[in-house]
């Protein structure tokens, strides 16, 4: 090639380079094409048209005018939380006191019946067996112990078929139903029938009353037909129920010692594991426990609990069960060292004031004891014998029976021989009778209350309701003089109390939109709280969470970081405190900043504390109006009006003849004087009457709109609600054409007044500027529609209170039609003064346009599939920029009641001695493996935007085998919420995305909670900016590392030691939490 040609080619290349740079510059300039002024004009027009639409069809201006008209005749009162908490706690105390009196009458009757009964070994006695009643043979005759037992559905008992004139008997399948002991005890307990009925007549709010016999049968009132399991077995044994165990024994410290030597292999080990699990099942949250396995060395089943006791709550018991399943036999049994270790733990707990501070026992599970162990007892237990020792001889061989029996008998315990799995249940229960003897001899009739529970075993019919309840129970003793020194426990009487009925005594209308009441136990566990979620979805089924009744107050009121509220309530104190909290509504998606005042006190004669929350501002202000019954009654019976069906306007459960009435029917009949015996809330009824009168013009207004045929297509319903639980609803569209068929129907609990909460639209409106509409999307199983809502207020004496909320429900089509018509410049637009693309249209393929609400959820989009989704999922680049600009703020939310897939396997932590360097090698192995996992999980591409990225991927920690079966387990999670800063009204910027730059313009829609987002569609930034997801991340805990038995062990996070009243702390672990 010649020099001239070479120079020419070089010059051409330079020209091409300059031309390329010029093209890129032109392209970059062309990207800045969305005129902010045009977007602003659209936003103003959208505001005007949306406001016009919603005010017209909701009637909000008329409603506000009617409230102003009555301001001269109303008064606004500021609620006194201290007075209210005392009033409500006194009501709860009276209610629970009534239940205790009923149980005491049952106990007295049962003891008297036994006192005058002589045991008859040949007694022949027929009774109603709940499994066999109303069952016939093939020839039409009744089966033995069956017979005709009349049953009829009863609303008070969840519409179950019951017999309120008679109790009947349930006997577990493994108990012979005609055993002389059973027959004599059943005959004795017949005396309870009259007391059951009398109790129910004195207190018609009572539910189930029962007697659980120490012989195994269960007498229940009212009588029911017992439903066996799918195999026809009645596995329910009342002696395993928490109410029975707690009433039959005092709190206890238990060390379970299990022999895992080579001789325990096979069936023996299976029986031993079942025995351990059965013992664990007899423990409750007031007990403390540890499990030790021994061969020629002592091994803690959970190494992290070495040398201590842990609270026997559900989580810890289940954790022990999992570890026990992993035990393997090995070596030779040396009982002496294990026994010493057990005594040391118990002695240390007693000396330091830890554990239950009551009974102490060691449970020895073995197939034989050959050592000389007498010296251990001489050193640690004799002569006081503070620790009882119970022995369980496993297997058919009786060679070492004498030794194991000697251990029990010389340490105030009990010896049993367990040769089959079927023997386990009955033999384990014997230790409860022994522990109960001192209480029986002293006649300590302590009344006990259980934690919250769902008794799904009792009620397996179509009427089953998974309502949380608590039980009150009391032990029944033999008072016969000849057996008094033996301490014979006859059984336990009890009654169930649905917690929903207790919480109704703290009326919702007094607490306001965000206020609530709650109950906790002396262990800090929640009995009732609106944020308690005891169920989770497993596929299509709802199931109780494994730890549903051991959710701590600190896990719900998580802003109480120093646990001042929890500690004060556990100690039974009376007081108040304030917290600034981050609440969330709409299934946790929408965060709210609230300042809550907490008021709390104890419930006398129970281990419970009652708490109440009033939200600062509108939550503490309530307006009171007054109208005559004659003036308000007609409006109260309007066809568009309903009142909260779960609230108590009138008590319809006291008189059985009132149970047929709905709350509205009962209120009307009371006001008419037709049911003067009804007990009604006069304050609530008066406010409901007043609200009915003030809101009555809305019915005429809405009807006029329909009659004049001016309803715009897609406007489907108008509604309003008041603090008194009154609602008015008008359907503009028929059910055939209506999109939101479920909205505001009885099944739409989120949008109705319930015992737990005000409707979602009311709560959102309460935190929005009154008169300004808040818009949000509801996605009901794929059916999407829009709700617009606003608060209406009333003022008096310089105070302003929220009187209610009013709104309108629309289809997507309704707002889409207006939006797309507005977000489009006509073709003849004068573009001479506009810098950028003109005419501009959201219908163009070059633009993406969204309406986004104040929590970042898309209200309108070209793609209907994007409606209701979080905007950051759809466009992470723009959302990341808005967060960086401060237009949206990220809020960290926590869920300490979450359920996560179980990806982890707890390995056996005990190994034989390998070498002195084994621990160091294990530590290095752990460090490098975790470092590798960190690198695998670490998203290098997301490094620059890590503040805005929420990792939704599952970890890489599961093996292929474990991925096949991923059971759910309780866990803690963190997830983000977002809130719009309304002080920032507009924003626009360029986002550099590799070879292109993406422009976006954001403009606030005045008088709403919406922003208009217009983005450049032809610049894809997904490679540089990942989506911002709202999926929760499981919180992993960096836990203490222990080298025990020459094995590196990582401690589990368990609820070992929250502060409990009368149950002092045992050792507590400090954990550092991180999100992974």
């Amino acid at each position: 090639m010649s020099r001239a040609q070479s120079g020419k080619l070089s010059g051409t290349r330079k020209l091409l380079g300059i031309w390329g740079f010029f093209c890129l510059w032109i392209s970059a300039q062309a990207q800045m094409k969305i005129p902010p002024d045009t977007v602003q004009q659209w936003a103003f027009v959208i505001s005007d048209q949306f406001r016009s639409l919603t005010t017209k069809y909701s009637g909000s201006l008329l409603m506000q005018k009617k409230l102003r008209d009555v301001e001269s005749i109303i008064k606004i009162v500021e609620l006194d939380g201290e007075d209210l908490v005392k009033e409500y706690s006194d009501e709860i105390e009276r209610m629970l006191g009534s239940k205790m009196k009923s149980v005491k009458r049952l106990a007295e009757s049962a003891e008297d019946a036994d006192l005058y009964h002589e045991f008859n070994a040949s007694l022949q006695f027929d009774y109603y067996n709940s499994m066999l009643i109303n069952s016939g043979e093939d020839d039409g005759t009744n089966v033995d112990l069956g017979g005709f037992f009349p049953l009829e559905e009863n609303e008070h008992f969840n519409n179950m078929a019951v017999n309120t004139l008679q109790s009947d008997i349930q006997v577990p399948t493994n108990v012979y139903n005609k055993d002389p002991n059973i027959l004599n005890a059943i005959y004795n307990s017949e005396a309870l029938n009259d007391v059951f009925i009398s109790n129910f007549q004195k207190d018609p709010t009572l539910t189930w009353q029962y007697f659980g016999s120490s012989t195994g049968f269960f007498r229940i009132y009212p009588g029911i037909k017992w439903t066996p399991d799918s195999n026809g077995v009645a596995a329910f044994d009342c002696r395993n129920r928490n109410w029975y165990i707690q009433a039959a024994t005092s709190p206890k410290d238990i060390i379970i010692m299990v022999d895992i030597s080579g001789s325990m292999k096979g069936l023996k080990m299976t029986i031993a594991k079942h025995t351990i699990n059965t013992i664990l099942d007899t423990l409750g949250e007031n007990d403390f426990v540890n499990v030790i396995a021994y061969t020629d060395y002592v091994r803690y089943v959970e190494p992290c609990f070495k040398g201590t006791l842990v609270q026997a709550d559900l989580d810890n018991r289940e954790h022990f069960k999992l570890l026990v399943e992993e035990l393997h036999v090995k070596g030779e049994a040396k009982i002496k060292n294990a026994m010493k270790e057990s005594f040391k733990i118990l002695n240390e707990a007693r000396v330091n004031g830890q554990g239950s501070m009551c009974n102490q026992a060691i449970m020895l599970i073995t197939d034989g004891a050959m050592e000389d162990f007498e010296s251990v007892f001489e050193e640690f237990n004799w002569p006081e014998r503070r620790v009882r020792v119970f022995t369980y001889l496993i297997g058919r061989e009786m060679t070492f029976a004498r030794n194991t029996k000697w251990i029990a008998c010389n340490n105030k315990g009990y010896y049993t021989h367990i040769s089959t799995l079927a023997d386990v249940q009955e033999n384990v229960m014997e230790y409860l009778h022994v522990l109960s003897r001192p209480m029986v001899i002293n006649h300590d009739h302590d009344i006990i209350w259980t934690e919250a529970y769902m008794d799904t075993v009792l009620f397996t019919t179509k009427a089953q309701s998974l309502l949380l309840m608590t039980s009150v129970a009391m032990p029944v003793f033999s008072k016969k003089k000849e057996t008094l020194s033996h301490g014979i426990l006859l059984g336990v009487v009890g009654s169930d109390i649905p917690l929903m009925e207790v919480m109704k005594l703290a009326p919702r209308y007094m607490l306001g939109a965000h206020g609530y009441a709650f109950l906790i136990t002396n262990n800090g566990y929640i009995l009732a709280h609106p944020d308690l979620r005891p169920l989770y979805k497993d596929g299509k089924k709802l199931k109780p969470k494994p730890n549903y009744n051991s959710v701590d107050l600190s896990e719900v009121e998580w802003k109480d970081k120093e646990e001042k509220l929890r500690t004060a309530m556990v100690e039974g104190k009376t007081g108040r405190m304030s917290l600034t909290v981050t609440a969330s509504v709409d299934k946790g998606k929408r965060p709210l900043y609230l300042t809550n005042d907490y008021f709390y006190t104890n419930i006398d004669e129970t281990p419970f504390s009652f708490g109440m929350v009033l939200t600062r501002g509108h939550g503490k202000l309530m307006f009171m109006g007054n109208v005559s019954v004659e003036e308000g009654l007609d409006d109260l019976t309007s066809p568009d009006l309903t009142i909260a069906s779960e609230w108590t306007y009138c008590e319809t459960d006291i008189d059985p003849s009132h149970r047929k009435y709905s709350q509205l029917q009962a209120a009307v009949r009371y006001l008419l004087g037709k049911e003067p015996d009804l007990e009604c809330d006069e304050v609530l009824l008066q406010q409901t009457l007043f609200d009915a009168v003030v809101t009555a013009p809305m019915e005429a207004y809405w009807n006029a709109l329909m009659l004049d045929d001016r309803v715009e297509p897609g406007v489907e319903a108008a509604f309003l609600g008041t603090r008194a639980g009154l609602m008015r609803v008008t359907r503009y569209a028929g059910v055939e054409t209506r999109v939101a068929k479920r909205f505001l129907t009885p099944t739409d609990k989120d949008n109705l007044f319930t015992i737990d909460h005000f409707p979602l639209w009311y709560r959102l409106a309460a935190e929005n500027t009154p008169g300004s509409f808040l818009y949000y999307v509801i996605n009901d199983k794929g059916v999407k529609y829009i709700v617009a809502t606003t608060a209406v207020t009333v003022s008096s004496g310089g105070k302003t209170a929220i009187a209610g909320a009013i709104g309108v429900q629309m289809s997507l089509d309704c707002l889409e039609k207006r939006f797309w018509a507005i977000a489009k410049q006509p073709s003849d637009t004068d573009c001479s003064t506009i810098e950028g693309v003109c005419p501009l249209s959201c219908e163009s393929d070059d633009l993406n346009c969204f309406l986004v609400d104040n929590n970042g959820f898309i209200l309108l989009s070209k793609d209907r599939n994007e409606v209701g989704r979080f905007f950051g999922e759809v466009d992470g680049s723009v959302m990341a920029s808005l967060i960086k600009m401060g237009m949206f703020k990220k809020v960290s939310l926590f869920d300490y009641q979450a359920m996560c897939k179980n990806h982890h396997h707890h390995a056996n932590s005990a190994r034989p001695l390998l070498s002195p360097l084994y621990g160091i090698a294990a530590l290095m192995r752990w460090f490098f493996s975790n470092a590798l996992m960190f690198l695998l999980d670490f998203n290098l591409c997301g490094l620059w935007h890590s503040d805005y990225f929420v990792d939704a991927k599952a970890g890489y920690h599961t093996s292929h085998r474990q991925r096949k079966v991923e059971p759910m387990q309780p866990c803690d999670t963190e997830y983000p919420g977002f809130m719009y800063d309304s002080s920032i009204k507009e924003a626009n910027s360029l986002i550099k995305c590799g070879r292109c730059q993406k422009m976006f313009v954001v403009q606030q829609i005045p008088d709403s909670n919406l922003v208009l987002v217009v983005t450049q569609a032809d610049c894809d930034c997904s490679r540089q900016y990942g989506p911002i997801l709202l999926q929760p991340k499981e919180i992993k805990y960096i836990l203490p590392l222990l080298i025990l038995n020459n094995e590196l062990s990582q401690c589990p996070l368990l609820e070992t030691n929250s502060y409990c009243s009368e149950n002092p702390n045992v050792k507590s672990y400090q954990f550092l939490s991180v999100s992974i």
Side-chain angles (χ1 to χ4, degrees):
M1 183 182 293
S2 69
R3 255 186 213 181
Q5 287 175 322
S6 175
K8 187 176 180 181
L9 183 59
S10 175
T12 302
R13 286 175 176 166
K14 287 179 181 179
L15 285 173
L16 286 172
I18 293 170
W19 175 251
F21 176 81
F22 179 75
C23 288
L24 284 173
W25 181 82
I26 291 292
S27 175
Q29 295 303 306
Q31 288 168 354
M32 299 179 62
K33 61 185 179 181
I34 305 173
D37 290 345
T38 302
V39 177
Q40 186 182 63
Q41 290 171 10
W42 289 351
F44 290 159
V45 177
I46 290 170
S47 173
D48 290 340
Q49 292 205 15
F50 278 22
R51 183 171 60 246
S52 174
L53 179 74
T54 51
T55 53
K56 174 182 177 180
Y57 288 109
S58 69
S60 60
L61 296 180
L62 175 62
M63 185 69 256
Q64 188 62 67
K65 179 182 181 302
K66 293 299 178 184
L67 287 167
R68 287 200 192 97
D69 292 344
V70 299
E71 286 182 348
S72 61
I73 62 171
I74 62 101
K75 64 176 181 178
I76 295 177
V77 297
E78 184 167 355
L79 301 174
D80 187 322
E82 292 178 343
D83 288 346
L84 287 178
V85 80
K86 183 179 187 312
E87 178 186 340
Y88 298 156
S89 64
D90 287 347
E91 287 289 326
I92 293 171
E93 195 173 299
R94 279 191 288 273
M95 177 193 186
L96 299 184
S98 172
K99 314 305 178 193
M100 287 190 281
K101 289 177 182 176
S102 297
V103 168
K104 286 178 181 177
R105 286 192 287 267
L106 289 172
E108 290 169 1
S109 176
E111 290 182 353
D112 288 343
D114 174 73
L115 180 61
Y116 300 109
H117 173 74
E118 292 294 331
F119 182 82
N120 182 356
S122 58
L123 177 66
Q124 297 295 313
F125 174 67
D126 287 337
Y127 59 89
Y128 289 110
N129 187 308
S130 60
M131 281 271 287
L132 304 175
I133 56 170
N134 302 334
S135 301
E137 302 284 6
D138 294 338
D139 60 1
T141 59
N142 290 320
V143 299
D144 191 24
L145 298 181
F148 175 66
F149 192 77
L151 299 169
E152 61 179 33
E153 289 187 2
N154 189 305
E155 185 179 350
H156 181 66
F157 294 95
N158 294 322
N159 291 318
M160 284 186 63
V162 301
N163 184 334
T164 56
L165 300 177
Q166 182 74 39
S167 62
D168 59 2
I169 303 293
Q170 181 267 347
V171 184
T173 301
N174 65 329
V175 175
Y176 178 43
N177 59 25
K178 284 194 174 183
D179 180 272
N181 291 315
I182 290 279
L183 288 177
N184 276 267
I186 291 175
Y187 180 81
N188 267 351
S189 66
E190 283 287 299
L192 293 176
N193 266 318
D194 291 340
V195 187
F196 285 144
I197 296 169
S198 173
N199 280 344
F200 192 40
Q201 289 171 346
K202 290 176 181 175
D203 182 3
T205 64
L206 277 172
T207 56
W208 307 98
Q209 302 175 69
Y210 40 80
F211 170 64
S213 170
S214 60
T215 60
F217 75 82
F218 182 61
R219 181 179 287 276
I220 183 169
Y221 172 88
I224 59 171
K225 172 71 174 176
W226 197 277
T227 306
D229 63 21
S230 56
N231 298 316
V233 174
F236 175 86
D237 189 326
C238 63
R239 296 168 299 178
N240 291 338
R241 309 304 289 177
N242 208 8
W243 52 265
Y244 185 99
I245 294 166
Q246 287 188 37
T249 62
S250 303
K252 47 199 170 291
D253 301 334
I254 300 290
I255 301 291
I256 303 174
M257 284 175 48
V258 58
D259 179 353
I260 57 169
S261 63
S263 64
M264 287 284 289
K265 66 182 178 181
L267 180 60
K268 287 183 182 179
M269 197 65 223
T270 303
I271 295 172
K273 290 178 179 180
H274 185 40
T275 302
I276 296 172
N277 291 342
T278 305
I279 294 171
L280 289 171
D281 285 337
T282 66
L283 305 180
E285 59 187 38
N286 293 322
D287 303 318
F288 290 78
V289 68
N290 207 333
V291 183
I292 291 176
Y294 69 91
T295 54
D296 47 357
Y297 64 92
V298 178
R299 171 192 165 189
Y300 283 85
V301 170
E302 175 50 80
C304 298
F305 297 157
K306 180 179 181 180
T308 190
L309 292 165
V310 295
Q311 191 176 7
D313 61 18
L314 186 62
D315 285 348
N316 287 345
R317 296 198 309 266
E318 294 303 313
H319 182 67
F320 276 128
K321 287 180 183 179
L322 289 174
L323 299 176
V324 164
E325 283 304 309
E326 298 175 356
L327 292 176
H328 300 288
V329 298
K330 189 176 188 178
E332 181 183 352
K334 299 288 186 182
I335 190 175
K336 199 169 183 178
N337 290 336
M339 192 67 76
K340 282 183 178 181
E341 187 73 12
S342 300
F343 276 116
K344 285 178 181 177
I345 295 172
L346 295 174
N347 288 345
E348 183 181 334
R350 183 175 62 253
V351 169
N352 295 332
Q354 298 173 335
S356 68
M357 294 299 294
C358 197
N359 292 307
Q360 291 191 324
I362 294 171
M363 309 302 207
L364 174 61
I365 303 168
T366 181
D367 64 345
M370 296 177 288
E371 289 180 90
D372 177 16
F373 32 72
E374 188 171 337
S375 60
V376 178
F377 303 129
E378 289 175 345
E379 180 181 356
F380 291 99
N381 206 37
W382 294 349
E384 295 89 352
R385 290 175 171 80
R386 291 193 181 100
V387 179
R388 295 179 184 268
V389 182
F390 296 86
T391 55
Y392 301 88
L393 184 65
I394 305 298
R396 298 187 182 278
E397 297 178 14
M398 300 291 292
T399 309
F400 302 104
R402 183 175 179 180
N403 287 352
T404 51
K405 188 172 184 177
W406 183 93
I407 292 173
C409 293
N410 283 276
N411 289 279
K412 298 171 66 175
Y414 194 87
Y415 157 80
T416 58
H417 179 215
I418 303 177
S419 57
T420 67
L421 286 169
D423 297 337
V424 172
Q425 184 68 51
E426 286 294 316
N427 283 294
V428 165
M429 299 307 295
E430 290 295 339
Y431 96 85
L432 294 175
H433 299 155
V434 175
L435 289 185
S436 70
R437 281 176 191 162
M439 185 172 64
V440 177
I441 293 169
N442 294 328
H443 261 63
D444 294 332
H445 280 89
D446 292 333
I447 286 183
I448 66 96
W449 293 85
T450 68
E451 71 275 15
Y453 70 96
M454 295 177 189
D455 204 336
T456 56
V457 178
L458 271 177
F459 313 124
T460 54
T461 70
K462 63 181 179 182
Q464 174 180 328
S465 62
L466 290 172
L467 292 177
L468 284 172
M469 58 182 66
T470 183
S471 292
V472 55
M474 189 175 182
V476 178
F477 309 137
S478 173
K479 297 196 295 186
K480 293 179 179 178
K481 290 182 179 179
E482 60 270 26
T483 59
L484 194 59
S485 62
H486 298 173
I488 295 177
L489 175 74
L490 300 176
V492 173
V493 290
S495 182
D496 294 340
I497 299 100
L499 288 164
M500 180 184 286
E501 298 302 315
V502 179
M503 300 315 293
K504 283 181 179 179
L505 297 176
R508 285 289 313 151
Y509 75 95
M510 293 295 292
L511 305 178
H514 298 296
Y516 53 90
F518 58 96
L519 272 176
I520 69 168
T521 70
N522 62 327
N523 285 311
Y525 293 149
I526 290 173
L527 281 169
H529 193 293
D531 292 334
L532 177 65
R533 304 191 314 277
L535 304 177
Y536 77 103
K537 211 162 191 178
D538 186 12
K540 294 183 178 179
K541 292 183 178 180
L542 282 175
K543 293 183 177 180
K545 293 176 181 175
N547 63 334
Y548 75 89
N549 61 355
S550 58
V551 176
D552 197 273
L553 180 65
S554 60
E555 296 174 320
V556 174
E557 301 290 349
W558 49 269
K559 278 291 185 178
D560 180 26
K561 297 187 185 301
E562 296 180 10
E563 296 194 2
K564 291 181 179 178
L565 174 66
R566 180 192 185 279
T567 300
M569 293 187 70
V570 162
E571 291 177 347
K573 293 181 179 179
T574 297
R576 61 175 295 174
M577 65 178 291
S578 298
L579 285 174
T580 299
V581 303
T582 308
S584 60
V585 296
D586 196 9
K587 298 180 175 63
K589 295 189 301 185
R590 302 180 184 276
L592 299 171
Y593 288 129
L594 303 172
T595 300
N596 286 340
D597 289 328
Y598 291 80
F599 306 88
Y600 51 86
T601 190
N602 69 307
I603 307 296
D604 285 343
E605 304 299 323
T606 76
F608 305 149
S609 284
F610 171 72
M612 190 189 77
V613 173
L614 294 176
T615 303
R616 291 267 180 94
H618 62 78
K620 301 187 79 170
L621 296 176
M622 180 175 173
F623 88 93
M624 311 291 288
N626 193 17
V627 294
S628 66
V629 173
E630 294 76 15
E631 186 181 0
L633 202 53
D634 185 56
D635 292 326
L636 190 61
T637 55
S638 299
D640 70 326
L641 184 147
T642 59
I643 59 177
S645 61
E646 293 185 10
W647 293 11
T648 304
Y649 296 79
C650 293
E651 184 55 74
T652 58
D653 208 26
I654 295 176
D655 187 336
S657 65
H658 294 154
R659 289 175 186 152
K660 60 189 175 186
Y661 300 134
S662 68
Q663 282 295 314
L664 182 56
Q665 290 170 335
V668 170
R669 292 183 70 83
Y670 175 77
L671 293 169
L672 286 171
K674 293 182 178 180
E675 298 286 356
D677 295 334
L678 274 167
E679 294 183 12
C680 297
D681 187 328
E682 298 286 352
V683 175
L684 179 55
L685 280 188
Q686 182 55 239
Q687 192 58 43
T688 305
L689 274 177
F690 185 84
D691 290 350
V693 171
V694 175
T695 61
M698 301 310 303
E699 180 188 15
Y701 175 85
W702 292 332
N703 287 337
L705 286 177
M706 288 190 289
L707 291 173
D708 292 346
D709 233 1
R710 294 188 307 213
V711 178
E712 186 167 327
V715 179
E716 297 188 344
F719 56 88
L720 65 83
T722 71
R723 185 164 178 158
L726 177 146
M727 281 181 59
R728 288 185 184 271
V729 180
T730 286
R731 306 288 185 183
Y732 288 125
V735 68
E736 300 84 7
T737 59
R738 200 160 62 234
V739 173
K741 290 181 170 57
R742 207 174 72 90
F743 182 63
L744 297 181
T745 62
T747 61
D748 185 20
K749 295 294 186 183
D750 288 342
N751 290 300
L752 299 178
F753 291 92
T754 71
I755 193 70
D756 281 337
H757 57 70
F758 276 47
L760 174 60
W761 44 267
Y762 193 114
R763 287 178 285 165
L764 290 173
E767 297 308 312
N768 201 41
T769 305
S772 173
F773 275 86
L774 181 143
Y775 302 80
Y776 65 98
V777 169
I778 292 180
N779 186 347
D780 185 6
K781 299 178 180 178
V783 177
K784 299 176 182 178
Y785 52 90
I786 294 171
V787 172
T789 180
T790 188
V792 286
T793 61
V794 62
S795 299
S796 178
K799 298 175 182 177
T800 298
I802 291 179
I806 190 168
V808 61
Q809 176 263 310
M810 303 162 283
S811 67
L812 290 177
D813 289 333
C814 179
L815 290 189
E816 279 178 346
K817 185 172 67 174
R818 288 175 178 261
F819 177 68
W820 299 121
I822 295 167
K824 177 173 64 176
Q825 289 180 310
S827 56
D828 58 352
T829 300
D830 181 6
C831 299
S832 59
T833 60
I834 297 176
E835 182 180 350
V837 175
C838 183
L840 190 70
S841 172
C842 278
E843 293 178 346
S844 167
D845 291 339
D846 296 330
L847 292 180
N848 286 326
C849 299
F850 307 89
L851 278 186
V852 177
D853 71 23
N854 58 310
N855 296 118
F857 294 98
I858 296 172
L859 192 84
L860 294 177
S861 169
K862 286 180 185 177
D863 184 352
R864 279 260 180 114
N865 291 324
E866 294 174 347
V867 171
R869 292 176 61 191
F870 180 60
F871 180 63
E873 295 178 5
V874 174
D875 194 329
S877 61
V878 174
M879 191 66 195
S881 298
L882 296 179
I883 295 170
K884 191 173 183 179
M885 293 175 176
M887 198 169 204
F888 280 89
K889 293 182 178 179
K890 180 181 175 182
V891 179
S892 291
L893 299 168
F894 298 89
D895 183 1
Y896 296 104
Q897 301 175 68
M899 295 291 289
C900 302
K901 290 181 178 178
N902 182 11
H903 299 298
H904 308 287
H905 179 69
H906 194 293
N908 189 334
S909 60
R911 287 176 181 263
L913 183 64
L914 297 180
S915 76
L917 298 177
Y918 177 79
I920 298 172
L923 182 62
M924 293 179 65
R925 201 164 53 244
W926 175 87
F927 175 80
F928 285 115
S929 64
N930 278 272
L932 177 61
M933 290 301 103
F934 173 79
L935 291 173
L936 286 172
D937 281 337
F938 190 68
N939 184 350
L940 291 174
C941 295
L943 177 63
W944 308 107
H945 317 293
S946 58
D947 287 343
Y948 315 123
F949 184 78
V950 181
D951 187 5
K953 297 180 295 181
Y956 293 91
H957 303 286
T958 53
S959 67
H960 176 72
R961 176 178 59 82
Q962 289 171 320
R963 287 194 194 103
K964 293 179 182 178
V965 179
E966 295 181 339
M968 304 289 280
Q969 67 174 13
C971 62
D972 299 339
T973 60
E974 178 184 3
Y975 64 98
F978 292 88
M979 299 179 74
Y980 169 57
D981 184 350
S982 58
S983 65
I984 303 176
K985 301 186 183 301
E986 57 189 16
N988 65 84
S989 184
L990 280 173
I991 303 172
K992 295 181 180 180
C993 301
R995 297 183 178 182
C996 67
Q997 297 183 93
K998 181 176 188 174
M999 186 181 185
F1000 68 88
V1001 175
V1002 181
Q1003 182 68 49
Q1004 185 186 79
I1005 309 289
D1007 296 321
S1008 78
N1009 65 318
L1010 303 175
V1011 292
L1012 171 60
V1013 181
V1014 181
T1015 70
Q1016 186 176 333
D1018 58 1
C1019 181
D1020 182 9
C1021 297
S1022 60
R1023 290 174 63 88
Q1024 290 78 21
Y1025 294 84
I1028 299 175
L1029 305 175
L1030 298 185
Q1031 275 87 347
K1033 300 181 296 181
E1034 184 178 356
I1035 300 172
K1036 305 293 185 183
Y1037 292 90
I1038 300 175
L1039 307 170
L1041 289 176
L1042 306 177
I1043 298 180
L1044 299 168
N1045 296 323
N1046 299 289
E1047 167 69 8
L1048 187 71
S1049 176
Q1050 192 168 21
C1051 296
L1053 177 65
L1054 293 170
E1055 297 178 16
T1056 56
N1057 307 303
S1058 291
Y1059 176 71
C1060 311
S1061 175
E1062 298 181 23
N1063 286 298
N1065 273 359
V1066 287
K1067 291 184 182 177
S1068 60
Y1069 298 100
Q1070 299 297 318
F1071 302 105
L1072 171 66
S1073 66
V1074 294
S1075 296
I1076 294 179

